[in-house]
Amino acid sequence: MSLAELICPAGTPAALRTAVDAGADAVYCGFQDATNARNFPGLNFTPEELAEAVAYAHARGTKVLLALNTYPPAGKVDLWRHAADTGARIGVDAFIVADMGVADYIMRTHPGIRLHLSVQAAASSPEAIRYYCEHFGVKRVVLPRILTIPEIRQIRKEIPCEIETFIFGNHGLMVEGRCSLTNYLTGQSTNMDGVCSPASDVEYVRDADGTMSSTLAGFTIDRFGPGEMAGYPTICKGRYTAPHRPEGYYAFEEPISLNLSRLLPDLIDAGVHAFKIEGRQRSKSYVRSVVSAFRKAVDDIRAGREANIADLVALTEGQKQTQGAFETKKWR
C-alpha cells in the first residue's frame, strides 16, 4: 500500500458524496445508533443510505470505512453485531473498532473484511498494537494524538500493521474520547452511547449584560463576552472559576485545533500510511474545502512540489492551532 492515503469524514450522505468528489481516498462514517462515537441527531446513515453511499464511493474508486468504535454495555452486544453484519452485507471496505468483543466477532464472522483499530482503543505502544494484530487480525491502527514523530517512526518499525494519524480538526485529548464527564451530567456516555454533550442538554442563555452562557444539563460550563466566539459546549473545553482563578480558565483542555499540514512530509517519512481528517459534524462546505486542500497538498508532496496549505487556517476550530505532541521533539 502507498503512503499518505487521505481518510475523510462523512457525517451525512451529502457530506460523503462531497468528500468523494473532493478527492478522498477513503471516507469514514457510522450508523444512526450507539455503535459509533458521533451518535447525534441529524448525523449518520441508515442501512439504505449507506448502501447507496458505498455504491457511489466504489464507483469512483473511494473506500468506505464503517465506525463501530464504541463499547457495548453488558448484555447489549447484539446491536454491534447486527451493525457489523449489515456493513458486511453492504460491502464496506473496513470496520473501525475499539472493543475487543466487537473485534473478535467481526474477525470470526466476517474474516474477509479489514479491521482498523480505533483511536478509542488508545493503543500507543508496539506491545499493545501487536496484541490486537495477533489476536484479532487488525490491519491498521489509528494512533493517539499524544505521540511524537520519532515515537511514530519507532512504532512503525515494531508493528506488523499500517499506521493512521489524525492531521486536522479537533485536538481533544481526554484519553482519546474515552471520557466520563458528559455521562456524569447527562446520563449518556461518549463510550457506550456515542454521545458527548447531547443537544437536548445544551442551552445558550443571553445575560442582561450582553454576555452569553453555555450550559449542559443546567450547569454553566462557559461564558462569552459580547463579540466573543462561543466554543463547543463540552465539559472538557469549558472555562471555570476557582478562588485562585476568578477570571475563569480552561481546567481540562483549551479548545484549539490540530493542524499538521506543515508536518506532512515528515509523517510520510516516518512511515504513516494514512492521514485522517476529523469532522463528521461539519458542513459540506467544510468537508469540500478541507479535503480539497489536503488532496492538493498530498499530491504536491508526492510529486516533489512544495505544498500550499495557508487557506486551512481559516477552517480550524477555535482561534488557535497546534501541532500538538508531534512538534515537541526534533526528528531525523
Side-chain angles (χ1 to χ4, degrees):
M1 174 187 169
S2 62
L3 299 179
E5 181 180 359
L6 195 58
I7 315 297
C8 304
T12 64
L16 183 143
R17 294 191 295 271
T18 298
V20 170
D21 294 344
D25 292 308
V27 292
Y28 63 100
C29 54
F31 285 127
Q32 294 177 352
D33 56 37
T35 60
N36 91 91
R38 291 292 184 272
N39 180 24
F40 294 98
L43 285 184
N44 302 312
F45 292 68
T46 65
E48 294 75 21
E49 289 171 339
L50 185 62
E52 293 178 5
V54 168
Y56 185 90
H58 285 178
R60 290 156 181 81
T62 304
K63 295 185 284 290
V64 177
L65 317 179
L66 182 61
L68 303 181
N69 57 342
T70 49
Y71 291 83
K76 298 183 179 180
V77 72
D78 285 350
L79 179 64
W80 280 256
R81 291 175 175 175
H82 177 69
D85 294 342
T86 302
R89 174 175 53 80
I90 288 171
V92 300
D93 296 279
F95 294 107
I96 306 171
V97 300
D99 180 78
M100 291 185 185
V102 174
D104 180 70
Y105 175 79
I106 294 174
M107 177 193 66
R108 290 185 290 102
T109 310
H110 307 291
I113 303 180
R114 287 169 59 101
L115 277 181
H116 293 182
L117 187 63
S118 172
V119 72
Q120 297 281 104
S124 58
S125 70
E127 292 79 9
I129 296 167
R130 286 199 301 267
Y131 180 88
Y132 282 100
C133 294
E134 293 166 4
H135 291 271
F136 306 107
V138 163
K139 303 299 183 185
R140 176 184 295 176
V141 58
V142 185
L143 290 179
R145 285 159 280 198
I146 59 172
L147 298 170
T148 65
I149 289 180
E151 289 169 337
I152 292 172
R153 187 189 306 278
Q154 186 59 38
I155 287 173
R156 178 69 191 95
K157 295 176 181 178
E158 298 183 37
I159 63 173
C161 70
E162 301 165 3
I163 285 177
E164 183 174 314
T165 62
F166 283 91
I167 58 168
F168 192 81
N170 176 37
H171 191 241
L173 294 175
M174 297 299 292
V175 198
E176 295 297 356
R178 296 173 69 172
C179 174
S180 60
L181 293 176
T182 185
N183 188 35
Y184 178 75
L185 287 189
T186 70
Q188 295 196 63
S189 167
T190 303
N191 310 308
M192 293 184 289
D193 301 301
V195 180
C196 171
S197 295
S200 58
D201 287 282
V202 174
E203 185 177 6
Y204 290 94
V205 179
R206 179 75 67 180
D207 300 321
D209 61 358
T211 61
M212 172 117 28
S213 298
S214 61
T215 67
L216 182 65
F219 292 89
T220 300
I221 58 177
D222 210 337
R223 182 170 285 121
F224 309 94
E228 187 180 4
M229 184 179 298
Y232 195 73
T234 60
I235 299 174
C236 62
K237 295 182 180 179
R239 287 182 290 189
Y240 305 94
T241 59
H244 68 293
R245 300 290 295 274
E247 77 282 2
Y249 73 110
Y250 293 106
F252 299 100
E253 59 186 44
E254 190 172 352
I256 58 179
S257 294
L258 184 71
N259 185 351
L260 302 188
S261 51
R262 292 180 177 86
L263 299 182
L264 295 181
D266 300 285
L267 290 166
I268 293 173
D269 186 66
V272 174
H273 296 84
F275 294 146
K276 189 165 196 167
I277 297 171
E278 188 271 341
R280 280 194 284 156
Q281 294 165 260
R282 301 288 192 164
S283 67
K284 290 191 300 179
S285 175
Y286 170 91
V287 171
R288 181 182 298 107
S289 299
V290 174
V291 174
S292 297
F294 272 105
R295 174 77 279 155
K296 186 176 187 309
V298 170
D299 290 346
D300 284 344
I301 292 168
R302 283 175 169 170
R305 300 186 296 265
E306 184 175 352
N308 180 10
I309 37 69
D311 291 342
L312 291 171
V313 175
L315 296 169
T316 54
E317 175 190 28
Q319 301 177 10
K320 297 182 180 180
Q321 297 182 66
T322 183
Q323 294 179 156
F326 297 88
E327 66 178 345
T328 59
K329 299 178 184 176
K330 294 186 180 295
W331 45 90
R332 292 203 186 98

